[in-house]
Amino acid sequence: MPPGGDNTVAIRNPLGYTDTATPGSVSALARPVSVMDESKSEVVTNAVQIDAAINPGNSGGPTFNGAGQVIGINSSIASTASSSSQAGSIGIGFAIPSNLVKRVSDEIIAHGSAKHVKLGVTIKSAQVEADGVSRGGAQIVKSAGGSGVVSG
């Protein structure tokens, strides 16, 4: 995985414009990003954050480093839009790290599906204070029964 600040190029078909390459750089590594899976369950992935322009249509395309190595697969963007149809790049894009893509694709090829580890608790984003500094963090959400532990 490249260190922060390395050059990147994201490739795919943003907004229907085929064969588009957008340059940028790695902004952060192991950035927790929440997405919904096909069963509408939240999945948190530690993504590569890039500032290359990622727009609808870029998902699934590769993100390369300056040496031409695939470092990730374009997956999502941060957006201030209220709906996905209005979303566009604001300079914060995310790519699934190539080592995770390889592990998952190898599992799918071998077994027909991939298994994801679950924490076993339900969490929500929250502000926390530590050492006098307020930061984004996670809070365990308790169910109606008073437990934050997920059954099973």
Side-chain angles (χ1 to χ4, degrees), residues 2 22 25 34 40 51 54 62-64 67 77 85 102 108 114 151:
T22 55
S25 62
S34 297
K40 303 295 183 207
D51 66 1
I54 302 292
T63 299
F64 293 95
I77 61 172
S85 65
K102 176 156 179 27
I108 291 170
S151 176

Side-chain angles (χ1 to χ4, degrees), residues 41-70:
S41 296
E42 184 179 39
V43 176
V44 179
T45 301
N46 286 327
V48 179
Q49 180 182 327
I50 59 176
D51 66 1
I54 302 292
N55 287 289
N58 274 113
S59 295
T63 299
F64 293 95
N65 64 12
Q69 300 165 315
V70 175

Side-chain angles (χ1 to χ4, degrees), residues 10-12 47-48 50 54 58-64 70-76 93-102:
I11 297 177
R12 191 75 158 117
V48 179
I50 59 176
I54 302 292
N58 274 113
S59 295
T63 299
F64 293 95
V70 175
I71 61 167
I73 301 297
N74 306 327
S75 62
S76 59
F94 304 103
I96 300 167
S98 57
N99 56 354
L100 176 59
V101 171
K102 176 156 179 27

Side-chain angles (χ1 to χ4, degrees), residues 98-115:
S98 57
N99 56 354
L100 176 59
V101 171
K102 176 156 179 27
R103 182 186 63 77
V104 169
S105 61
D106 287 349
E107 281 187 45
I108 291 170
I109 291 166
H111 308 290
S113 64
K115 293 184 179 180

